[in-house]
Amino acid sequence: SGNVNERATPQPAGTLGTFGGVFTPSILTILGLVLFLRVAYVVGSVGLVQALVILALATSVSVLTSISLAVVATNMRVGGGGEYYLISRTLGIEFGGAIGVVLYLAISVSIAFYAIGFAEAAVTALGSDSTVRIQLVAAGLVLLLTAIGYVGADLATRLQYLVMVLLVIALVSFFLGAVGDFDGNQLSDNVDKPDSGVGFWEAFAVFFPAVTGFSQGVAMSGDLRSPSRSITRGTFAAVGVSTVVYLGAIVLLAGGAPAAVLVEETTTIMGDLSLVGWTMLVGVLAATLSSALASTLGGPRVLQRLGEDRVLPRLEYFAVGAGPMKNPRRALGVSSVIALATVAAGDLNAIAPIISMFFLASYGMINYATYFEFRAGSTSFRPRFRWGDHRASLLGAVACGGAILAINPVAGALAALVLMALYSY
């Protein structure tokens, strides 16, 4: 009966293309908060070699998951709800529902993560380090984003292009300035891990939210003109470009300042090394704003689809959308409340590992779903994406599971229990 209903109610056709709908939100989120405010901390804490290993590990998770996403996305007509839609239509509503709820929470919490990052940069620039001020600015930003999300995806997409221009200016300023300040001796000093640094996996947990942005475009699946093609091309392009930027930033930071300075001045060091100092603040504010905006748009669309599928009792209340594009205003309200509650609790380094857990769990499931489909050999499984392979998908699932255990076994076990409980229900 579900299929009949889906056929009977035509889905509104999306309006966004590959660049505006997938590449832009993905790249803006990947080149966001972590790049400007935390990469220096990671390099200073574990040294150049380990920082590059962290980048390679995190990128391999995003590349393997992107391959799985491309396989699943080119095997079906993709509807709204992003990763939840892909998993639930591949492994069934039980797996999909369990992941969907967790994914929705992770995206809603990450709105606060980016809002706090924005506030931290803005308040520090005004010469204050008051926690209360940071929380007030972050809360104000969440409310502003809610208002933008209330209007709809088109306004948000137009804002993204402005943010993209500001981000490019900030990055060009940093790369030109840092190349001028680059010192080979400083680089060799920073090759190895300093005595005082944090552990490898602790640094990995702080860095990992950087790469979770590659799935932002997938979250907008219902608003895309041709979801299968756009998700594949846009995601790979965003992962490729951003990896090159991170690689350059890590090497330039290692050759730009001593380890202790990188750790202590992690929020300002990229500005100090830039050609024009204030461009870095513009970059931070633009990047965190766009990441928060992408999460504000993506999260409610997951909850809306969960409501349409009636995954849990009373969720159908959130299936209602406003206007021709079914803008999920009710779901947006819930995301806003979750984000404000997180801001009230908030500390970036505490929130980052939690977000990492939930995103890793959902990526692990996408990889497992793809592996499952490859092995099942179903006649209906004919993805147009040719580069997929069951071993790559299995490796992706194992990598996600391993990373969860390495970051925080207790939090990982809790996340697994939550998923199992939802799945059983």
Side-chain angles (χ1 to χ4, degrees):
S1 67
N3 293 347
V4 176
N5 291 346
E6 270 180 31
R7 234 174 271 139
T9 56
Q11 292 292 326
T15 54
L16 300 177
T18 303
F19 187 78
V22 181
F23 179 79
T24 307
S26 298
I27 193 99
L28 288 179
T29 309
I30 302 172
L31 300 179
L33 175 83
V34 177
L35 174 63
F36 291 115
L37 300 182
R38 290 294 179 268
V39 164
Y41 171 82
V42 170
V43 176
S45 297
V46 297
L48 176 65
V49 173
Q50 288 193 22
L52 291 175
V53 173
I54 286 173
L55 176 66
L57 268 180
T59 305
S60 63
V61 169
S62 61
V63 168
L64 290 168
T65 309
S66 298
I67 291 171
S68 294
L69 274 176
V71 168
V72 182
T74 56
N75 185 53
M76 62 171 84
R77 206 174 121 252
V78 182
E83 294 116 306
Y84 158 68
Y85 185 89
L86 297 177
I87 297 170
S88 62
R89 298 310 185 266
T90 308
L91 286 178
I93 214 82
E94 298 88 353
F95 267 119
I99 281 294
V101 172
V102 165
L103 187 68
Y104 170 67
L105 289 172
I107 296 173
S108 299
V109 169
S110 61
I111 298 170
F113 178 70
Y114 298 122
I116 294 168
F118 176 93
E120 197 178 275
V123 172
T124 308
L126 294 171
S128 165
D129 59 354
S130 155
T131 313
V132 178
R133 277 187 194 162
I134 290 174
Q135 287 174 315
L136 284 172
V137 173
L141 181 62
V142 170
L143 295 173
L144 174 66
L145 292 167
T146 306
I148 295 169
Y150 190 83
V151 175
D154 284 348
L155 170 65
T157 307
R158 284 200 290 276
L159 276 172
Q160 282 185 340
Y161 294 131
L162 169 66
V163 171
M164 184 79 124
V165 172
L166 297 175
L167 188 67
V168 168
I169 291 170
L171 286 173
V172 168
S173 169
F174 167 69
F175 277 104
L176 290 177
V179 165
D181 291 338
F182 190 80
D183 179 356
N185 295 330
Q186 186 62 69
L187 183 75
S188 58
D189 288 346
N190 283 337
V191 166
D192 296 323
K193 182 179 186 301
D195 301 330
S196 57
V198 297
F200 177 84
W201 290 109
E202 204 176 317
F204 179 84
V206 171
F207 179 82
F208 189 77
V211 300
T212 59
F214 76 87
S215 57
Q216 285 289 12
V218 184
M220 300 303 291
S221 57
D223 296 69
L224 298 170
R225 267 199 303 276
S226 54
S228 293
R229 196 175 74 217
S230 290
I231 286 172
T232 306
R233 293 181 178 178
T235 304
F236 280 112
V239 170
V241 171
S242 59
T243 303
V244 172
V245 172
Y246 271 104
L247 185 63
I250 286 171
V251 173
L252 288 173
L253 284 167
V261 174
L262 292 176
V263 172
E264 281 159 29
E265 298 174 19
T266 182
T267 51
T268 55
I269 187 68
M270 282 184 81
D272 298 341
L273 292 173
S274 296
L275 203 59
V276 185
W278 58 263
T279 54
M280 198 41 50
L281 179 64
V282 171
V284 173
L285 297 180
T288 48
L289 187 63
S290 66
S291 305
L293 188 57
S295 300
T296 308
L297 290 180
R301 281 160 174 74
V302 176
L303 182 60
Q304 184 180 35
R305 177 59 78 166
L306 286 164
E308 285 171 17
D309 291 346
R310 295 169 181 250
V311 171
L312 293 168
R314 300 206 179 84
L315 275 192
E316 60 268 20
Y317 174 78
F318 299 107
V320 178
M325 285 310 298
K326 291 193 166 177
N327 187 19
R329 288 177 178 170
R330 290 178 177 181
L332 176 66
V334 182
S335 292
S336 180
V337 170
I338 293 171
L340 288 170
T342 310
V343 166
D347 164 38
L348 277 189
N349 287 1
I351 299 171
I354 298 167
I355 296 175
S356 297
M357 287 294 150
F358 285 145
F359 277 116
L360 276 166
S362 68
Y363 299 155
M365 289 309 298
I366 289 166
N367 286 310
Y368 178 74
T370 314
Y371 170 74
F372 178 83
E373 283 286 310
F374 272 123
R375 301 308 289 163
S378 156
T379 49
S380 63
F381 185 63
R382 288 200 293 273
R384 294 192 301 283
F385 183 73
R386 289 274 166 258
W387 300 97
D389 183 87
H390 70 276
R391 287 165 300 207
S393 297
L394 181 61
L395 183 61
V398 171
C400 291
I404 287 175
L405 290 173
I407 289 172
N408 188 332
V410 180
L414 274 173
L417 282 173
V418 170
L419 283 173
M420 288 312 294
L422 285 166
Y423 174 75
S424 311
Y425 181 82

